[in-house]
């Protein structure tokens, strides 16, 4: 079936370094992708999104890249901070529902 | 403004009990979604409302699960005769077309209700 998956389940980075979290998706018909951050005991928090007619979108300290040729999505976090430690999910919009990947744990070492 | 709120935040039920989980979406949001999140996994879609109409309930795992949104605002997810496998975090999200600076499909999540069935 259709699915969204992640290459790396856990990522450890040094404070101040850049982080890159990757995601592969399988539904080539998806036209909307979102990155969410989830801290322990909280609901997913919207980070950034991108439409399929774009290949890059930037926010504050975050950049999302979309490569439709290989069905790959990535989230780049600049100057990673301890507060960035969380689980990160990519999700694709299938119809009106989001299909989430399993998540990547980001650990920031001080 | 206030975000999506959910209550209760934690619910412990004995197997076989019925539970009701409440979601208050962001004011004015026409779309409301319920997701189930098992420990260590991503959220999985349960059902979707547009105003009071339930347009998609394909993710509800069994007929013990029922959701309603009678006035197009607050929604309740009811689980009858709870089983241990129902233990999870139940997340509610809402979205609205035309939100400034966002694509129309952005879903904003509440904190979830953690259900534990003993």
């Amino acid at each position: 079936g259709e699915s969204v998956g992640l290459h790396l389940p856990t990522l450890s980075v040094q404070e101040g370094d850049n982080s890159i979290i990757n995601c592969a998706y399988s539904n080539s018909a998806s036209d909307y992708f979102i990155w969410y951050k989830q801290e322990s005991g909280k609901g997913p928090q919207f980070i950034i999104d991108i439409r399929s007619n774009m290949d890059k979108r930037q926010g504050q300290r975050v950049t999302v890249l979309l490569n439709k040729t290989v069905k790959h999505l990535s989230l780049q976090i600049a100057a990673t901070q301890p507060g960035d430690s969380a689980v990160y999910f990519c999700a694709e919009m299938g119809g009106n529902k989001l299909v989430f990947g399993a998540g990547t744990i980001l650990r920031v070492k001080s | 403004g206030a975000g999506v709120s959910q209550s209760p935040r934690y619910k412990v039920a004995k197997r076989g009990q019925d539970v009701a989980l409440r979601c208050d979406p962001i004011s004015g949001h026409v779309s409301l979604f319920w997701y189930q999140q098992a420990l260590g996994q991503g959220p999985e879609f349960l059902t979707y409302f547009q105003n009071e109409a339930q347009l998609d309930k394909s993710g509800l795992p069994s007929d013990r699960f029922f959701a309603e949104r009678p006035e197009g605002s607050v929604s309740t997810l009811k689980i009858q005769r709870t089983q241990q496998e129902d233990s999870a975090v139940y997340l509610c999200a809402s979205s609205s077309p035309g939100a400034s600076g966002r694509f129309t499909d952005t879903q904003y999540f509440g904190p979830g209700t953690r259900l534990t069935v003993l």
Side-chain angles (χ1 to χ4, degrees):
Chain A
E2 298 160 353
S3 66
V4 176
L6 297 173
H7 296 305
L8 300 174
T10 304
L11 177 65
S12 294
V13 299
Q14 196 68 38
E15 181 179 359
D17 288 351
N18 297 334
S19 302
I20 300 176
I21 301 173
N22 296 301
C23 174
Y25 65 94
S26 59
N27 186 359
S28 57
S30 293
D31 65 355
Y32 179 58
F33 305 88
I34 314 98
W35 281 100
Y36 283 94
K37 170 187 179 183
Q38 189 173 28
E39 298 173 281
S40 180
K42 297 183 180 181
Q45 176 188 355
F46 173 92
I47 301 174
I48 192 168
D49 54 11
I50 190 167
R51 288 277 188 205
S52 60
N53 61 354
M54 304 169 70
D55 53 21
K56 180 179 180 179
R57 193 164 191 233
Q58 289 185 295
Q60 187 177 14
R61 281 202 309 120
V62 294
T63 300
V64 54
L65 300 178
L66 175 63
N67 186 330
K68 294 180 289 294
T69 301
V70 295
K71 291 186 282 188
H72 183 267
L73 195 68
S74 69
L75 176 69
Q76 300 178 359
I77 304 174
T80 312
Q81 302 169 359
D84 295 328
S85 294
V87 179
Y88 288 80
F89 294 98
C90 65
E92 61 180 322
M93 182 68 77
N96 283 305
K97 58 188 176 187
L98 291 172
V99 177
F100 283 82
T104 291
I105 299 171
L106 176 63
R107 291 199 177 106
V108 182
K109 297 175 287 187
S110 300
Chain B
V4 178
S5 61
Q6 293 185 246
S7 61
R9 289 296 315 279
Y10 304 92
K11 177 69 177 178
V12 179
K14 293 182 179 179
R15 190 176 58 171
Q17 284 184 332
D18 298 348
V19 298
L21 312 180
R22 177 186 169 107
C23 172
D24 286 81
I26 294 172
S27 178
H29 278 195
V30 300
S31 299
L32 185 145
F33 307 81
W34 284 98
Y35 293 83
Q36 180 190 60
Q37 186 174 25
L39 187 64
Q41 297 183 21
E44 293 191 355
F45 171 83
L46 294 176
T47 187
Y48 157 61
F49 290 85
Q50 185 166 330
N51 294 306
E52 69 278 6
Q54 189 174 20
L55 299 185
D56 187 343
K57 54 182 181 180
S58 62
L60 296 176
S62 77
D63 58 8
R64 295 186 296 104
F65 287 70
F66 173 76
E68 61 183 4
R69 194 187 185 197
E71 297 180 357
S73 178
V74 172
S75 177
T76 303
L77 176 67
K78 298 179 179 178
I79 309 173
Q80 297 177 324
R81 304 181 303 282
T82 53
Q83 304 295 316
Q84 286 187 323
E85 60 264 27
D86 300 335
S87 296
V89 174
Y90 291 85
L91 294 163
C92 177
S94 69
S95 70
S96 180
S100 177
R102 302 291 194 198
F103 296 133
T104 61
D105 302 310
T106 304
Q107 295 182 22
Y108 297 93
F109 283 81
T113 294
R114 181 176 295 278
L115 173 64
T116 303
V117 182
L118 303 177

